Amino acid sequence: ILNVEQSPQSLHVQEGDSTNFTCSFPSSNFYALHWYRWETAKSPEALFVMTLNGDEKKKGRISATLNTKEGYSYLYIKGSQPEDSATYLCALRTGNQFYFGTGTSLTVIP
Amino acid sequence: SQTIHQWPATLVQPVGSPLSLECTVEGTSNPNLYWYRQAAGRGLQLLFYSVGIGQISSEVPQNLSASRPQDRQFILSSKKLLLSDSGFYLCAWTLGGIEAFFGQGTRLTVV
């Protein structure tokens, strides 16, 4: 079992604030790093897949970076909106397995 | 297009009763299939994964078992549920391991 950690566990921000959270993972056995957005009672929704050290991905106001040598990825949300409220999961893919972190629960206060 | 079906959506079962959760995938062949569980206040824990019919790998020792009787069918079972089996169970599939797609999940409460 591989240990994927996310911090902080939860976060409350005001609408319009920018925020970021961290995903840490063991750098050995790395194949890809995935970010998902998970709303209550729904399936996790894929945001990004990153495979190369130094990768940067962007989707609207959300972006992510990857450092495979030191084993971390950051997710950034610019100008948070209430609809961004969700749990953000990262997952380390090694071969056939996906190992998920515990998630960061984001609440954006209007 | 590919879709994944997972049922039931919610389940309340007494301690000691059996369990069977089913997941089926449509629109693809020979997917990798996964069962995850989220216990209260915790992240998604990989329980089982399967790369083919009858091929099951278990990540953690537990009170649960999995079977893959058909290419696109993945079943999570227990002979006798424990209180600690309560949680949210998610089935997922990948093809070539590129991206994981999830079912809607089953909320299991063992009472």
Side-chain angles (χ1 to χ4, degrees), chain A residues 6 14-15 19 31 61 65 77 89 106:
Chain A
Q6 289 187 248
Q14 291 289 113
E15 182 175 354
T19 187
Y31 195 84
R61 295 179 291 100
T65 60
I77 302 179
L89 295 168
L106 174 67

Side-chain angles (χ1 to χ4, degrees), chain B residues 68-83:
Chain B
R68 185 168 177 176
Q70 298 180 50
D71 181 44
R72 288 170 284 180
Q73 184 185 29
F74 205 23
I75 299 171
L76 184 70
S77 305
S78 173
K79 291 182 180 177
K80 287 185 179 181
L81 284 169
L82 305 172
L83 286 174

Side-chain angles (χ1 to χ4, degrees), chain A residues 31 34-35 48 51 65 69 74 86 92 101 105 107:
Chain A
Y31 195 84
H34 297 247
W35 280 100
F48 303 114
T51 56
T65 60
K69 292 183 180 178
Y74 294 135
L92 172 69
S105 174
T107 304

Side-chain angles (χ1 to χ4, degrees), chain A residues 44-89:
Chain A
E45 171 199 349
L47 290 174
F48 303 114
V49 183
M50 294 185 288
T51 56
L52 299 175
N53 184 43
D55 241 356
E56 257 189 71
K57 299 273 178 139
K58 190 174 179 185
K59 189 175 183 178
R61 295 179 291 100
I62 305 177
S63 60
T65 60
L66 177 67
N67 183 323
T68 58
K69 292 183 180 178
E70 295 180 37
Y72 65 83
S73 175
Y74 294 135
L75 188 80
Y76 301 90
I77 302 179
K78 187 178 177 182
S80 303
Q81 299 297 308
E83 58 265 29
D84 295 329
S85 297
T87 295
Y88 291 83
L89 295 168

Side-chain angles (χ1 to χ4, degrees), chain B residues 88-110:
Chain B
F88 188 71
Y89 290 81
L90 272 172
C91 177
W93 73 274
T94 71
L95 193 63
I98 296 175
E99 191 54 83
F101 299 94
F102 292 86
Q104 293 292 317
T106 297
R107 172 75 58 194
L108 172 66
T109 305
V110 183

Side-chain angles (χ1 to χ4, degrees), chain A residues 1 9 34 36 38 41-44 46 49 89 93 96-102, chain B residues 32 34 36 38 43-44 49 51 59-60 88 90 94 97-100 102-104:
Chain A
I1 300 174
Q9 189 174 0
H34 297 247
Y36 288 85
W38 191 16
K42 294 186 178 179
S43 306
V49 183
L89 295 168
R93 177 157 55 97
N96 287 316
Q97 294 98 307
F98 284 73
Y99 295 96
F100 282 84
T102 50
Chain B
N32 292 341
Y34 306 81
Y36 289 90
Q38 184 192 34
L44 280 178
Y49 71 95
V51 298
E59 282 291 304
V60 293
F88 188 71
L90 272 172
T94 71
I98 296 175
E99 191 54 83
F102 292 86
Q104 293 292 317

